[in-house]
Amino acid sequence: MKTIYAKSKGLQDTEMHYCPGCAHGIVHKLIAETLEEMGRLDDTVGICPVGCSVFAGNYFYSDFIEAAHGRAPAVATGVKRTNPDKLVFTYQGDGDLASIGAGEIVHAAMRGEKFTGIFINNAIYGMTGGQMAPTTLIGQKTTTSQSGRSVEAAGKPIRVSEMLSTLEGLVYAERVCVTDIPHLNKAKKAIQKAFKLQEERAGFTFVEVLAACPTNWGMTVLDANKWLMDNMAEYYPLGVIKDVTSEEVKADA
């Protein structure tokens, strides 16, 4: 009988703790498949901090280190500099990376550290109760902005990929989502490219994934994915934000 689909060997046979409709499990699958296809399962170190992804190491067959809140880029820097031949990636949410860890990710990108950042942006603090995050949209209601986020009180949401792309050390940044199969396939290609450029030691690479959080958004899974495309994808446009390799190709032409 022909095999249509098989679970990636990069994932352990462990039940995940994520809520129904959460994108973390899908992104885990894409990363695991990519590592398996690249033959890097035994040669990769992932770094996860505090947040919904705190147990990510329980699901992958590659090595994992749990970092303090926001400090995954610092840990990844140490791991990559002492083990330059290993594939190293951080796996962070927006409450972690864009808030307490903002300084860490900015300076890692500026230095051009040769690891990959995987950034899950669901516009809210997922694990700690649904508070407003640096990426929460204007008008979006959270437990700490019950009338909706306002510019006067909290400023505008941070577009992390665009901000990091102004730094010379970042060579590739792309924003994707996993709401359906076509977008899921694009997300996997972005992860593949980021890891490939890391293998080439090109510089810091970054993939931002717009993700639904049905539990804290108070929506069904279908409604959450539709809200993401109608609202988040409008403020956080999907696509390549920066690709130095493409620019070099154009310059050579």
Side-chain angles (χ1 to χ4, degrees):
M1 183 177 293
K2 182 179 180 181
T3 300
I4 303 299
Y5 177 81
K7 183 178 181 179
S8 170
K9 294 179 181 178
L11 290 176
Q12 299 186 44
D13 193 17
T14 304
E15 184 177 349
M16 293 185 177
H17 72 287
Y18 301 118
C19 299
C22 175
H24 278 298
I26 298 174
V27 182
H28 285 10
K29 161 186 147 68
L30 300 183
I31 294 172
E33 288 179 349
T34 299
L35 294 177
E36 181 183 1
E37 292 163 5
M38 294 175 69
R40 299 300 299 263
L41 285 175
D42 297 328
D43 198 24
T44 295
V45 180
I47 319 292
C48 63
V50 175
C52 288
S53 61
V54 70
F55 299 123
N58 293 343
Y59 309 133
F60 287 88
Y61 264 118
S62 56
D63 290 329
F64 251 81
I65 299 174
E66 184 180 327
H69 203 4
R71 309 309 181 214
V75 175
T77 296
V79 172
K80 186 67 177 184
R81 288 193 180 194
T82 54
N83 299 272
D85 294 329
K86 287 191 177 294
L87 201 66
V88 179
F89 70 95
T90 58
Y91 189 93
Q92 300 175 261
D94 51 292
D96 175 86
L97 181 146
S99 184
I100 192 171
E104 297 279 356
I105 199 70
V106 164
H107 288 283
M110 185 61 198
R111 295 192 304 266
E113 299 293 345
K114 295 175 178 58
F115 66 84
T116 299
I118 306 294
F119 173 45
I120 309 300
N121 178 4
N122 58 19
I124 206 164
Y125 278 85
M127 185 185 74
T128 56
Q131 298 92 341
M132 183 179 68
T135 52
T136 298
L137 298 182
I138 299 302
Q140 185 178 353
K141 295 181 180 180
T142 71
T143 56
T144 53
S145 59
Q146 295 186 23
S147 297
R149 176 174 181 159
S150 68
V151 175
E152 295 76 17
K156 291 187 176 181
I158 298 174
R159 293 185 176 99
V160 175
S161 291
E162 285 84 347
M163 176 180 68
L164 295 181
S165 292
T166 65
L167 306 176
E168 294 182 6
L170 184 143
V171 298
Y172 171 71
E174 183 168 355
R175 184 181 291 119
V176 298
C177 70
V178 290
T179 54
D180 52 38
I181 297 301
H183 283 106
L184 186 150
N185 291 334
K186 289 180 181 179
K188 184 174 179 179
K189 288 181 179 179
I191 293 169
Q192 290 172 330
K193 179 161 186 173
F195 284 168
K196 182 62 177 177
L197 288 173
Q198 182 184 160
E199 283 190 324
E200 297 170 0
R201 304 187 181 186
F204 181 69
T205 57
F206 192 74
V207 178
E208 176 179 348
V209 184
L210 299 186
C213 184
T215 296
N216 285 298
W217 290 359
M219 301 179 186
T220 66
V221 175
L222 291 178
D223 287 345
N225 282 330
K226 184 178 187 305
W227 188 90
L228 183 153
M229 295 304 298
D230 292 344
N231 295 275
M232 287 189 70
E234 181 177 350
Y235 186 81
Y236 300 111
L238 301 174
V240 175
I241 310 298
K242 181 179 182 180
D243 186 354
V244 171
T245 60
S246 295
E247 293 171 4
E248 290 174 349
V249 170
K250 291 178 182 178
D252 292 339

